Amino acid sequence: MARKDALVASVRAGSERNLAENPNVELLRGEARFVGERRVVVGDREISAERVFINTGARNRIPALEGLEGVAWLDSTSALYLNELPRSLLIVGGGYVGCEFAQMYARFGTSVTLVQRYGQLLPQEDAEVVAELQRVFQAEGIELALAAEAVRVRPVGDGVALTVYRNGRKQELRAERLMLAAGREPNTKELNLAAAGVQTSRAGFIWVNEGLEASTPGVWALGDVRGGPMFTHTARDDARIVYENVMKGAGLSTQDRVVPYAVFTDPQLGRVGMNEKQARAAGYRLKVGRYEGRKVAKARALGEPAGLIKIVADADTDRLLGASVLLAEGAEVVHELVSAIALGARYTELRSLIHIHPTLAEGLSSALGGVHYEEGI
């Protein structure tokens, strides 16, 4: 925790120093709210501007869980500020955050139970790939409560008891600490966006067009607050698009950008494009390639053979549609396919490329070599 705090403080200090040294930037600390079109109040000060850029981010969503107000609980922020390791931990939510924290705390030595309402972890990901990750989790002693709906929590002794419904039966799970990883919601409730005429979704995310312009002229929304893929790297690319459009009239759009992402478990899941289920739902006939991590020489040499590489291509054009790289350093390895998809490459073009031996990226060559047509199920 001390190392994490020092690293975060260093990064934050660098960003604030850059602002302080820019004579054209004034930093105000406080909660802002709109009082009209492009008019904002911060404390006792009202500010108006020709252009307004909203980048207020998102926060952890608190699920409707009976009894939650009566127990202490953690989220992805507070779970990074503990000074003592809990003996046991219940995590509600099997998405990116839940999976990453479950494995992290399990490796620290905590007994972890991961509660997921769906039948698999990472429900938006390829079932074959997730099944491999689940095997890794179970081998590390993480208890998976899948297809379990959390409904109630109560304090008990020096910990908590969580009631879930699983396969039509009520079950009570107990642990010293409870963590909520139930998704994110936008920081828009206090902004009074109605006063500015800025439209939002029912969930509160700001509506934007492909140029990230909000419904009110002269207002843009960037990052998590606009919904869609909520990653640091997409927020940075939002800033690039807005800057180029506003300052240079570049006419850039988010429509066709290729957004990769990763789940930082071990092995890491690097993802880009569509998975098999998504591609079939979009109407594609598919060619699919798979290669197991245990067959990648470098992964075996590193002692990290777990994983699965899966590649999806359009059977009619051979164009790459997507990839899931569950592998040691999978978040790094996937970038070769990010470039290929962004450039509209065919899998046959990558298949013939020579990859260095022994490297983890060599596994991509093997997976591409095994791509073949598969009938939809």
Side-chain angles (χ1 to χ4, degrees), residues 307-320:
L308 174 67
I309 300 171
K310 186 168 180 179
I311 294 172
V312 176
D314 182 349
D316 296 322
T317 65
D318 288 343
R319 185 170 61 89
L320 283 165

Side-chain angles (χ1 to χ4, degrees), residues 245-273:
N245 288 351
V246 172
M247 303 304 295
K248 302 179 181 180
L252 300 182
S253 167
T254 61
Q255 182 178 13
D256 296 320
R257 67 179 177 180
V258 177
V259 179
Y261 58 91
V263 184
F264 287 98
T265 50
D266 182 17
Q268 298 172 3
L269 175 59
R271 278 280 290 113
V272 63

Side-chain angles (χ1 to χ4, degrees), residues 37-39 47-53 216-220 246:
E37 285 194 6
R38 299 184 300 282
R39 287 176 33 234
I47 305 166
S48 61
E50 182 181 349
R51 301 185 182 99
V52 176
F53 305 92
T216 299
V219 178
W220 289 258
V246 172

Side-chain angles (χ1 to χ4, degrees), residues 202-226:
R202 293 183 62 181
F205 292 100
I206 296 176
W207 176 91
V208 293
N209 64 15
E210 293 166 357
L212 299 169
E213 297 170 294
S215 55
T216 299
V219 178
W220 289 258
L222 303 81
D224 292 2
V225 75
R226 54 143 182 80

